[in-house]
């Protein structure tokens, strides 16, 4: 009797187990068992591959779209490498004030453009900056000036800020392309003349050394205005093609015994020197030494009215930009002439006496200068 009950219990248990397994197979929970591989409700999981998981499909090549179908070199936003020691500042805008986002499509001018000022205004402004470094005056090149004016017209008519021209633009010109490499100043303010542009470049740590290049003999400047545009004024200065003379260093700015009108550094300079110095605008106007490409500067000190003040030393060895490209660009500009720029933390006081001391690989450079009694315009 006992054995009979035990056998019945085992039979009931086996039967229940078989019913459970069959139910699980019908529900599709056991697809790895061949008997149940084709069971399950319609529209359930796809048939199982008995040879292992299906391979992912081979990747298809992505469409490669040129950022500029015209084939023109990329603009300032590009991350292409920059040559380590350019003779002029690499392709980046000189924007002295915030400007609105620019439309990508060019816009036709809706008002007549006033004629360019007499070249003597631009030439006098540049030579005044060079005189502060006790450098000889430079001359003027009319043909280049017409080309620079053509690029300035492109900038205001197309509402662009760049060292190139879009060949598909109705405002493109071969003449403008010839001067597109030059320093440019764009403004959303009412017409700004060459004096304002030159004041901006003279207080930018990376534009200033190129104005002071002792090899510079001839320059050209062109400007254009469009009251209806987002860019209402533009000025373009060519300091590249006129590098025709012999280098004579050192060059000091402001030179010993001079009186400078500049108290504050340009805002919106590129590359931006302030983050690497851990300074905030406004900073003081730059003090520069161009010692020649074979000379290095390792230390510097600045005194204002006899008191030591904080100043950041920018050299080809120390400058740190906000990106590797910015660092390379700024160091290249400084390396080209063995440049060292001191950037005071604070604007220079009006009427101050400033003493400069730099330690170079060829000895010390010490000099002093005065700050004018009023801010430069």
């Amino acid at each position: 009797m006992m054995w009979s009950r035990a056998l019945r219990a085992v039979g009931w248990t086996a039967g229940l187990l078989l019913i459970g397994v069959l139910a699980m197979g019908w529900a599709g929970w056991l697809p790895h068992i061949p008997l149940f591989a084709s069971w399950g409700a319609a529209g359930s999981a796809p048939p199982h591959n008995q040879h292992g998981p299906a391979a992912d499909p081979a990747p298809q090549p992505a469409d490669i779209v040129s950022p500029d179908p015209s084939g023109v070199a990329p603009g300032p936003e590009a991350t292409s490498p920059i040559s380590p020691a350019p003779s002029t500042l690499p392709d980046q805008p000189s924007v002295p004030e915030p400007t609105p986002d620019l439309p990508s499509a060019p816009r036709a001018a809706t008002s007549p453009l006033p004629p360019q000022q007499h070249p003597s205004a631009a030439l006098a402004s540049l030579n005044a900056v060079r005189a502060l470094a006790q450098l000889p005056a430079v001359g003027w090149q009319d043909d280049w000036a017409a080309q620079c004016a053509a690029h300035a017209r492109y900038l205001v008519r197309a509402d662009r800020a760049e060292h190139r021209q879009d060949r598909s633009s109705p405002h493109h010109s071969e003449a403008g392309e010839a001067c597109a490499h030059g320093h440019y100043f764009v403004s959303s303010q009412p017409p700004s003349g060459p004096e304002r542009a030159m004041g901006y470049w003279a207080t930018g740590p990376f534009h200033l050394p190129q104005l002071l290049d002792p090899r510079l003999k001839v320059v050209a400047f062109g400007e254009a205005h469009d009251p209806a545009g987002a860019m209402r004024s533009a000025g373009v200065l060519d300091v590249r093609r006129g590098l025709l003379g012999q280098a004579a260093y050192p060059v000091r700015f402001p030179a010993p015994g001079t009186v400078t009108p500049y108290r504050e550094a340009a805002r919106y300079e590129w590359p931006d020197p302030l983050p690497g110095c851990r300074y905030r605008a406004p900073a003081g106007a730059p003090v520069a030494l161009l010692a020649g490409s074979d000379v290095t500067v390792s230390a510097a000190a600045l005194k204002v009215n006899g008191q030591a003040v904080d100043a950041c030393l920018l050299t080809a060895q120390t400058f740190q930009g906000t990106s590797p490209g910015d660092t390379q660009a700024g160091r290249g500009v400084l390396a080209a002439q063995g440049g060292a720029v001191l950037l005071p933390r604070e604007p220079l006081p009006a009427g101050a006496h400033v003493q400069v001391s730099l330690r170079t690989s060829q000895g010390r450079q010490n000099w002093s200068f005065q700050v004018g009694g009023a801010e430069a315009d």
Side-chain angles (χ1 to χ4, degrees):
M1 181 67 69
M2 181 179 297
W3 287 104
S4 177
R5 290 179 179 176
L7 290 173
R8 282 200 300 269
V10 170
W12 278 105
T13 301
L16 291 172
L17 179 61
L18 178 61
I19 291 171
V21 170
L22 292 173
M24 293 172 66
W26 179 83
W29 291 0
L30 303 171
H32 56 285
I33 299 177
L35 177 64
F36 304 124
S38 61
W39 288 26
S44 62
H48 181 68
N49 183 348
Q50 296 295 320
H51 303 288
D56 291 335
Q60 298 299 312
D63 291 335
I64 300 174
V65 181
S66 171
D68 189 346
S70 68
V72 179
E77 68 279 3
T79 57
S80 55
I82 301 173
S83 58
S87 59
T88 58
L89 194 67
D91 292 356
Q92 286 288 341
S94 307
V95 183
E97 58 214 354
T99 55
D101 292 337
L102 303 181
S104 57
R107 176 192 50 76
T110 57
S111 60
L113 302 176
Q116 177 175 320
Q117 291 188 25
H118 192 275
S120 62
L123 193 60
S125 297
L126 174 56
N127 282 330
V129 173
R130 289 175 63 85
L132 283 173
Q134 297 177 341
L135 288 168
V138 296
W140 185 263
Q141 224 290 347
D142 283 323
D143 292 341
W144 299 349
Q147 295 167 347
C148 295
H151 187 56
R153 284 193 296 273
Y154 170 84
L155 297 179
V156 295
R157 285 175 166 170
D159 279 336
R160 305 295 286 262
E162 56 193 0
H163 287 283
R164 64 169 187 159
Q165 291 195 9
D166 182 350
R167 289 185 172 273
S168 66
S169 168
H171 310 301
H172 168 270
S173 68
E174 295 298 331
E177 284 272 18
C179 195
H181 61 266
H183 288 349
Y184 66 79
F185 172 98
V186 291
S187 175
S188 60
Q189 301 297 315
S192 301
E195 296 89 349
R196 187 174 177 206
M198 214 66 66
Y200 170 71
W201 292 321
T203 53
F206 300 105
H207 286 85
L208 173 63
Q210 298 169 80
L211 304 184
L212 303 180
D213 195 319
R215 299 169 296 171
L216 191 61
K217 299 300 178 185
V218 183
V219 300
F221 177 86
E223 63 182 301
H225 308 281
D226 184 0
M231 294 298 183
R232 301 178 69 179
S233 298
V236 179
L237 175 70
D238 188 341
V239 290
R240 177 182 293 180
R241 290 180 284 184
L243 295 173
L244 307 173
Q246 296 295 317
Y249 297 105
V251 174
R252 294 171 288 189
F253 181 91
T258 59
V259 179
T260 178
Y262 303 119
R263 297 176 52 199
E264 183 177 318
R267 304 194 187 199
Y268 314 107
E269 170 72 316
W270 187 90
D272 188 352
L274 298 184
C277 295
R278 298 184 180 180
Y279 290 176
R280 292 186 177 182
V287 177
L289 171 70
L290 306 181
S293 59
D294 58 341
V295 180
T296 58
V297 176
S298 56
L302 197 67
K303 289 185 176 181
V304 174
N305 293 329
Q307 299 296 316
V309 298
D310 289 341
C312 183
L313 176 62
L314 307 174
T315 71
Q317 293 74 41
T318 63
F319 170 66
Q320 292 292 332
T322 56
S323 71
D326 284 10
T327 299
Q328 187 178 6
R331 290 186 176 191
V333 170
L334 296 171
Q337 299 188 76
V341 178
L342 269 174
L343 200 63
R345 181 186 289 274
E346 303 291 339
L348 298 174
H353 178 72
V354 181
Q355 296 169 278
V356 187
S357 179
L358 296 104
R359 185 171 66 220
T360 81
S361 56
Q362 294 186 351
R364 284 200 169 271
Q365 288 281 342
N366 302 312
W367 78 95
S368 63
F369 63 90
Q370 294 288 132
V371 181
E375 281 195 60
D377 293 333

